[in-house]
Amino acid sequence: MTGVPAPAAVSPGHGGLDGATARRRYVTVSFLFWLPIGMSIATGVLLFTERGMGLAAIAGFYAVHSLTAAAMELPTGGLSDVIGRRPVLAIAGLLNLTAFTLIGLGPAGWAIALGMGLMGLARALSSGPAEAWYVDTIHAHAGPDADLRTGLARGSSATSAALALGTLLGGGLPWLLGLAPGAGEWPADATGGLVIPLSVPALLGALVEGVFVLYVLSALPEPPRPRTTLRRVVGGVPAAIAAGLRLGARDALIRRILLTASAAGAALAAVELLTPGRAAALMGTAESGALVFAGLACAGFLCSALGSQLAPLAARFTGSSERAVLASLGLVTLGLTLLGLTTHSMSPLATTAAVAGYGLVYLGLGAAGPNENDLLHRRVDASGRATALSVQSLSLQLVAAGAGLGAGALPPGPLPWLLAATAVLAGALLWVRRAAPAKGLPDTPPRPDTPPRPDAAAVRPDAAAVRPDAAAVRPDAAGGHPDAGPVTADAAP
């Protein structure tokens, strides 16, 4: 007897992947999925305008995307828990491939609206499965006490880096095509006007989505799930949704996480809605303001990536993941306050403070996210993990939609910024006191074709869900496992 614990058994259903390999594949999937979306940020509105669409129609296109994503968030999260992570991610990639093709080639409003709706559905499908696959794989390899924070932080950083790089590529490609004589006119002449320089980023994004689908199918092994039918799949999704909706009601810590996601939604709505106008006012023209905003958005994504990388350090420095979330949201509140207090001045000092505030918002959100999600994954088991992430994403999106409408209706000035700062401050105050240990894990629905077992209350020690003694969540779960230090978190752009 050496006193050294034996390593956890590797689950053959996950291809025998070790932690480092699973982490690399999760990071790659995160990067490949978000890179095309970043490429569409800089040119989306300009492309639709070039196609002859008015501002009202363009607003309608984005509303189709948001409403589709919100409406499908919970059903698709439940679908991932029923049929598996890999097929749902592959479907999301195929939907995005179709969406970017329609947006890049479609000259008619219906084609663009359909593309935006498909993109919203893909967003809902993708909000949980990749992260759930990573956590399942790590738990299968190293047990439920495995350190998740490094992988969650790197996945969040990869998402932010993909958005930053994609924004630069999307804004730069049409400009580069315009520099070469005839390079911009030739595709339009050859395709009857379907392909123009502004549509090139969307079409290139469709190619990247094809690579994403192939990578998901080849690199993300998971255990085979019970064979099922379409009827049982459809019947299993509502049960998974109901389990997701019960999460916040039965666990105080999960309730905090959902409310914090709502506060983050209010912050992002204010920043994304109000910053482009301030950039245009600063530069004097809409075109130059759009260029400045593209650079600022890229910098914001990089700050988010940096925040995600610093999330484990923040947890160690503050002493727990809960305190790290509190400190991170404090940075967000400070950033929004700086943006609000500098609205009426364009002096160099005020502009510098506003840019610093913008960076603090994304830095704080990036640092808070991985800490929150590590805590979340320690409260739910594998059968409801993607659903829990979907509930979290839904909380952010619904509040972001309402906060965006509210900020747009308020008079210009510091008030919209300060109201968003107040919402984030309220979310931060939720973390002043430590959450009490959960009394028990939320009920999760049985998978289709899986009859309840007599020993279902006890899960094997090497399973990807919870240990046999996890009927009551560990008292130290909110602050991290004792041998790995405090834990960390994540956010979605």
Side-chain angles (χ1 to χ4, degrees), residues 178-205:
L179 293 180
E185 291 79 7
W186 177 80
D189 295 340
T191 60
L194 289 179
V195 179
I196 59 177
L198 287 172
S199 66
V200 170
L203 297 176
L204 184 58

Side-chain angles (χ1 to χ4, degrees), residues 317-483:
F317 181 77
T318 58
S320 73
S321 291
E322 292 180 331
R323 294 192 186 96
V325 174
L326 173 61
S328 301
L329 294 180
L331 289 180
V332 179
T333 303
L334 177 59
L336 291 170
T337 302
L338 287 174
L339 285 164
L341 295 178
T342 56
T343 51
H344 291 315
S345 176
M346 295 186 183
S347 67
L349 179 61
T351 301
T352 301
V355 171
Y358 187 91
L360 286 175
V361 169
Y362 281 93
L363 182 69
L365 290 175
N371 285 295
E372 295 170 31
N373 280 26
D374 187 89
L375 294 170
L376 176 66
H377 290 309
R378 297 180 187 281
R379 293 294 222 214
V380 297
D381 64 14
S383 64
R385 182 161 288 125
T387 301
L389 292 169
S390 291
V391 175
Q392 183 187 26
S393 178
L394 179 62
S395 300
L396 185 149
Q397 292 185 49
L398 288 179
V399 173
L405 292 174
L410 291 172
L415 183 58
W417 296 103
L418 296 180
L419 286 178
T422 302
V424 176
L425 178 61
L429 294 177
L430 295 173
W431 298 92
V432 171
R433 297 179 59 186
R434 289 177 63 92
K439 296 180 179 178
L441 288 171
D443 293 334
T444 52
R447 292 173 181 160
D449 297 331
T450 306
R453 297 175 300 159
D455 60 342
V459 185
R460 297 189 335 267
D462 60 341
V466 189
R467 300 173 305 175
D469 60 345
V473 179
R474 303 186 325 273
D476 62 320
H481 47 283
D483 59 343

Side-chain angles (χ1 to χ4, degrees), residues 189-288:
D189 295 340
T191 60
L194 289 179
V195 179
I196 59 177
L198 287 172
S199 66
V200 170
L203 297 176
L204 184 58
L207 294 178
V208 176
E209 289 293 348
V211 175
F212 169 82
V213 172
L214 293 176
Y215 187 81
V216 164
L217 293 176
S218 62
L220 302 188
E222 60 179 342
R225 295 180 183 251
R227 185 172 298 177
T228 186
T229 64
L230 178 62
R231 178 179 179 182
R232 285 173 174 164
V233 167
V234 173
V237 168
I241 294 174
L245 293 176
R246 289 195 299 267
L247 288 174
R250 298 189 60 175
D251 191 301
L253 179 61
I254 293 178
R255 188 159 56 247
R256 288 187 188 185
I257 293 171
L258 298 181
L259 291 173
T260 302
S262 300
L268 289 171
V271 169
E272 293 173 359
L273 180 69
L274 302 175
T275 304
R278 290 184 65 168
L282 177 66
M283 301 304 296
T285 65
E287 293 77 10
S288 57

